[in-house]
Amino acid sequence: MYKVLISNDDGLKAPGLRPLIKEISKIAKVYVVVPKKQMSGTGHSITLSKYKKAVKIADDFYSVDGGTPADCVKYGLVAFGKDKIDLVISGINTCPNMGQDVIYSGTVGAAREGAMKGVASLAVSAAEMHAKEYGHSAIATRDIAEKILKNKNKYKSVCLNINIPKNYKGIKIVPLGLNDYNENVVTVADRKGNFSYKLTGRYFSGGKNKGSDIDAVEKGYISITPLHIDQTDFKLLRKVKL
């Protein structure tokens, strides 16, 4: 039987977690390690030189208090055996991860960690903001996962970023697009002159994205984008002369 490690960045109470476990359990033995709380926007960050408490929720199901998504995958691969895990699935995220959002995404960070450890990995997101229903996304993920598992040697160390819209028409393998946000930093000063700040912003444009993941989702298709682990810009490598 195949063995699949599931993690996420939305935490133990993530609405997409149980539907995903339910569907993947139909094709594989499932192991789960997730952050205890919401960890969106943590990217591929990891915790160094600190103990993190892993709490057993059920058999082969743990939550990590204060752990990042990448921490959870690291722990899961060690606890359950890297050589025994056939696939890592991170998700289902509650909103899209398209374009440069994959850099910030804890969902993608968890999947990328699995790929870095030599395991085929999927980062799965609902393609609408604050999705309410995850059954269709879980079924689509199961179907994709089953195809990957049947060809797991081909997909070793591969990270696939997946966004699933409602009533999807099919699948398109596409590059990342480019998101534009009207970002702002709001600051508040206290009496001592110290500042607190928070980031705000709203998505306002997908830019020129014909043929991208953003374009595919807008047209009702599941977008799948293979992501590099090696971030070297090989074109620029030949041009830089310092």
Side-chain angles (χ1 to χ4, degrees):
M1 176 177 276
Y2 296 119
K3 295 178 175 63
V4 174
L5 173 63
I6 290 177
S7 191
N8 68 15
D9 73 352
D10 289 320
L12 185 59
K13 296 182 179 180
L17 179 60
R18 268 69 182 183
L20 180 62
I21 294 171
K22 178 182 176 181
E23 290 300 326
I24 299 303
S25 294
K26 295 177 181 179
I27 62 169
K29 167 67 176 174
V30 170
Y31 302 85
V32 181
V33 184
V34 295
K36 181 179 180 181
K37 298 179 180 179
Q38 173 67 249
M39 296 294 287
S40 291
T42 54
H44 201 140
S45 63
I46 58 174
T47 304
L48 299 174
S49 304
K50 293 181 181 179
Y51 285 102
K52 295 295 182 181
K53 186 176 182 180
V55 178
K56 186 174 182 178
I57 306 302
D59 289 343
D60 303 317
F61 188 155
Y62 292 83
S63 73
V64 181
D65 192 359
T68 70
D71 285 341
C72 292
V73 171
K74 283 180 177 290
Y75 175 76
L77 292 176
V78 170
F80 302 124
K82 182 180 72 172
D83 296 333
K84 297 179 181 179
I85 298 297
D86 299 298
L87 180 67
V88 170
I89 303 177
S90 177
I92 301 167
N93 198 54
T94 57
C95 58
N97 278 305
M98 298 184 289
Q100 71 270 34
D101 291 349
V102 301
I103 297 170
Y104 305 114
S105 168
T107 301
V108 177
R112 191 185 295 115
E113 182 63 34
M116 285 174 60
K117 294 296 184 290
V119 183
S121 300
L122 310 179
V124 183
S125 302
E128 63 270 10
M129 294 300 295
H130 309 298
K132 301 298 183 183
E133 194 278 319
Y134 294 85
H136 69 286
S137 295
I139 292 170
T141 304
R142 183 198 69 201
D143 292 342
I144 294 168
E146 194 164 22
K147 293 175 183 177
I148 298 297
L149 287 166
K150 288 179 179 178
N151 296 279
K152 65 176 185 176
N153 291 332
K154 177 181 176 181
Y155 291 98
K156 186 177 181 180
S157 299
V158 170
C159 177
L160 299 180
N161 187 53
I162 302 169
N163 289 275
I164 305 173
K166 288 183 177 179
N167 304 314
Y168 48 84
K169 302 173 183 177
I171 294 174
K172 288 188 179 292
I173 313 300
V174 288
L176 295 176
L178 181 64
N179 288 319
D180 288 327
Y181 296 89
N182 58 347
E183 294 181 313
N184 190 25
V185 177
V186 179
T187 60
V188 178
D190 64 17
R191 293 178 179 178
K192 296 181 179 180
N194 299 312
F195 285 91
S196 298
Y197 73 92
K198 69 175 180 178
L199 302 178
T200 66
R202 303 188 72 167
Y203 170 81
F204 70 89
S205 171
K208 296 179 180 179
N209 281 309
K210 186 176 181 180
S212 72
D213 56 347
I214 297 168
D215 184 42
V217 165
E218 287 179 348
K219 292 177 178 176
Y221 290 89
I222 295 172
S223 70
I224 299 182
T225 305
L227 299 180
H228 273 302
I229 302 303
D230 182 349
Q231 297 186 68
T232 305
D233 186 329
F234 286 97
K235 288 184 179 180
L236 192 58
L237 192 66
R238 294 190 291 268
K239 295 180 180 180
V240 174
K241 304 292 182 182
L242 298 177

